[in-house]
Amino acid sequence: MVELGAVPSLLELLSHENTDIAVGVVDLLQELTDVDILHESQEGADTLIDALLEQQVCALLVQNLERLDESVKEESDGVYNTLAIFENLLEFRPELCTDAGKQGLMQWLLRRIKAKTPFDVK
C-alpha cells in the first residue's frame, strides 16, 4: 500500500466534504493500525507509520474530528475510531504523544471534556 503511494490519496479523503467518506477512511485506518496487525510485521508497521506521519496524519485526524458531530451515529463512530487510531499509533510508538499533542489532539480533547455537561449527583 505504501509502495503504491496510496497513503497520501487515502489521507486526502479525510478532508472530503462528505463526512461519510471521511468516516470510511477513518474506519480503514483504524483497521490498518490495529496493534495486533502492526505487530505481525515490524518492518511493514514501521513503513506504514512513517508514511502516515510524513503526511501529517495526526493533524489531519484532528481536523476531521473538529467537523464530526457526535450526535450523529456514523460520525460518533468516526470519533471513536479516530481515537482508536491515536491509541494504536501511540501504543506502537509512545514517543508520538508529543507530536500528536502539538498537532491539536490535546486541545480537541480539552474542548470535548469542557463541552460535556456535569453529572447530577443526587
Side-chain angles (χ1 to χ4, degrees), residues 5-25:
V7 172
S9 300
L10 194 60
L11 293 179
E12 264 183 51
L13 292 173
L14 281 175
S15 60
H16 195 279
E17 63 187 52
N18 184 338
T19 55
D20 290 340
I21 292 173
V23 168
V25 170

Side-chain angles (χ1 to χ4, degrees), residues 33-48:
T33 61
D34 183 81
V35 176
D36 294 332
I37 291 173
L38 291 178
H39 283 296
E40 287 179 9
S41 167
Q42 182 73 34
E43 183 181 326
D46 285 333
T47 303
L48 175 62

Side-chain angles (χ1 to χ4, degrees), residues 8-104:
S9 300
L10 194 60
L11 293 179
E12 264 183 51
L13 292 173
L14 281 175
S15 60
H16 195 279
E17 63 187 52
N18 184 338
T19 55
D20 290 340
I21 292 173
V23 168
V25 170
V26 166
D27 292 346
L28 177 60
L29 287 173
Q30 192 277 327
E31 289 184 31
L32 289 173
T33 61
D34 183 81
V35 176
D36 294 332
I37 291 173
L38 291 178
H39 283 296
E40 287 179 9
S41 167
Q42 182 73 34
E43 183 181 326
D46 285 333
T47 303
L48 175 62
I49 291 173
D50 288 342
L52 291 171
L53 294 175
E54 189 176 300
Q55 298 296 316
Q56 301 293 316
V57 69
C58 294
L60 292 170
L61 288 170
V62 171
Q63 288 172 5
N64 193 49
L65 281 171
E66 298 281 354
R67 68 189 187 123
L68 295 179
D69 180 0
E70 288 187 78
S71 66
V72 176
K73 169 74 171 106
E74 292 79 16
E75 292 185 26
S76 176
D77 291 345
V79 170
Y80 176 83
N81 286 331
T82 300
L83 294 175
I85 293 168
F86 279 113
E87 180 181 7
N88 294 340
L89 292 175
L90 296 175
E91 186 173 332
F92 200 76
R93 286 199 189 161
E95 67 274 10
L96 294 178
C97 285
T98 305
D99 290 340
K102 287 179 182 176
Q103 293 183 33

Side-chain angles (χ1 to χ4, degrees), residues 99-113:
D99 290 340
K102 287 179 182 176
Q103 293 183 33
L105 180 60
M106 186 60 71
Q107 292 84 0
W108 182 86
L109 289 169
L110 291 172
R111 277 194 307 275
R112 185 171 185 257
I113 290 170

